[in-house]
Amino acid sequence: MILYRYLNFGMTRIISKQVLRDFSLFSGLDDQEIASLRAAATIKQYAKGSVILLQGDLGDGLYLVLSGEVKVTILGDDGRELILGFLKTGLSFGETSLFNAQPRYASIVTTAPSKLLVIYRQAFLCCVKHRASLLTRLNDGLCKRLRATGELLADRAFLNAQARISKALLALGEAVGKPDASGNVVISKRPTQKDFAAMAGTTRETVSRVLNDLKRRGLIFGHGRRIVLGKHLRHAHAETEPKMYK
């Protein structure tokens, strides 16, 4: 787990080396390289519901989630929302802006009070221009994001609403859930039905119907915003996926 550690002397915050090393992106850096990044990094705090980055704005740097949670979302001209995912402590966003300053393709909004570590583009490039391994790690992360986007498009085209909702539940469990002793995954505070519908590309009514059906079948259970993914949910979902996914 990434721990949020800094020393607060009045208005000056000194970021510890371990804060950076806890992120896999920076785990292999030596002390001098870590020191350069520490000097370039700042910590920002955001209340729940804050817009950190706005779709269409020019990219400016790399953001790392020290605590809290954010959602990655795209708004259509008609006001409809598509949620690409949720990022929790230990994850990052904004990598593409390190290579170019093109407009952001999505907005980033906090879903809980959050603390972020920010390293702006020019400062980052100065720190890593002689560190090819770090750039390779960044490229690996970008490739994973690209694959995830392609899979999302395929889901919209080939999976029905129930399969998309089940898959969104499983993805949410991997992102923010905690396994229990029985092999289930506990999500202490799932997204609202509105947000969940935006994740799965469907309506709130469909989300409600599918969740109730999954509860009836014993694949999920819980009360209110707390939801438990039964250990058989993944198998049940795999049985409904097209052959191209297997």
Side-chain angles (χ1 to χ4, degrees):
M1 175 184 290
I2 304 298
L3 298 178
Y4 175 63
R5 294 183 292 272
Y6 65 87
L7 303 177
N8 194 344
F9 298 99
M11 297 299 291
T12 302
R13 286 174 175 172
I14 302 174
I15 302 162
S16 77
K17 294 179 181 179
Q18 196 58 44
V19 166
L20 292 172
R21 285 214 167 97
D22 281 338
F23 285 88
S24 60
L25 181 62
F26 303 134
S27 59
L29 300 185
D30 60 33
D31 286 345
Q32 184 176 356
E33 290 162 334
I34 288 290
S36 297
L37 287 173
R38 287 174 67 198
T42 58
I43 290 176
K44 292 190 174 184
Q45 301 187 53
Y46 296 89
K48 178 181 178 181
S50 299
V51 177
I52 302 170
L53 302 174
L54 189 62
Q55 180 179 334
D57 285 353
L58 293 180
D60 60 353
L62 174 68
Y63 292 72
L64 303 103
V65 184
L66 297 176
S67 67
E69 182 186 74
V70 303
K71 68 176 178 179
V72 186
T73 179
I74 296 176
L75 281 178
D77 292 339
D78 59 359
R80 286 186 298 171
E81 182 182 24
L82 172 63
I83 296 178
L84 301 181
F86 292 84
L87 304 176
K88 63 175 181 176
T89 301
L91 299 179
S92 60
F93 57 91
E95 293 90 342
T96 56
S97 68
L98 297 176
F99 299 99
N100 63 64
Q102 295 299 309
R104 302 277 187 185
Y105 72 92
S107 296
I108 306 290
V109 182
T110 58
T111 56
S114 302
K115 297 182 181 72
L116 305 179
L117 184 73
V118 187
I119 305 176
Y120 292 106
R121 181 171 181 259
Q122 290 304 320
F124 182 87
L125 292 178
C126 288
C127 292
V128 304
K129 60 184 177 182
H130 300 301
R131 185 75 183 192
S133 62
L134 181 53
L135 295 177
T136 299
R137 290 189 193 185
L138 275 173
N139 283 331
D140 287 345
L142 290 173
C143 288
K144 289 178 181 177
R145 295 274 174 91
L146 182 59
R147 285 195 296 271
T149 300
E151 188 173 342
L152 182 66
L153 292 173
D155 290 349
R156 295 292 190 272
F158 300 116
L159 297 184
N160 61 30
Q162 179 165 330
R164 294 200 306 272
I165 291 169
S166 295
K167 189 168 185 176
L169 279 172
L170 292 168
L172 192 64
E174 291 178 359
V176 300
K178 294 182 179 180
D180 66 12
S182 301
N184 305 316
V185 176
V186 180
I187 301 172
S188 59
K189 190 176 181 182
R190 68 165 174 80
T192 63
Q193 288 196 358
K194 178 183 177 182
D195 280 352
F196 206 82
M199 287 178 65
T202 186
T203 64
R204 282 179 286 182
E205 293 77 15
T206 300
V207 168
S208 178
R209 175 176 56 78
V210 171
L211 292 181
N212 286 334
D213 180 63
L214 293 174
K215 288 179 180 178
R216 180 184 58 79
R217 295 163 59 193
L219 296 174
I220 65 172
F221 43 96
H223 180 71
R225 298 283 295 279
R226 183 180 185 273
I227 190 168
V228 180
L229 310 183
K231 58 185 178 182
H232 300 299
L233 176 62
R234 187 173 296 278
H235 176 73
H237 170 67
E239 289 294 311
T240 66
E241 283 192 320
K243 291 181 179 179
M244 62 175 287
Y245 283 81
K246 300 177 181 179

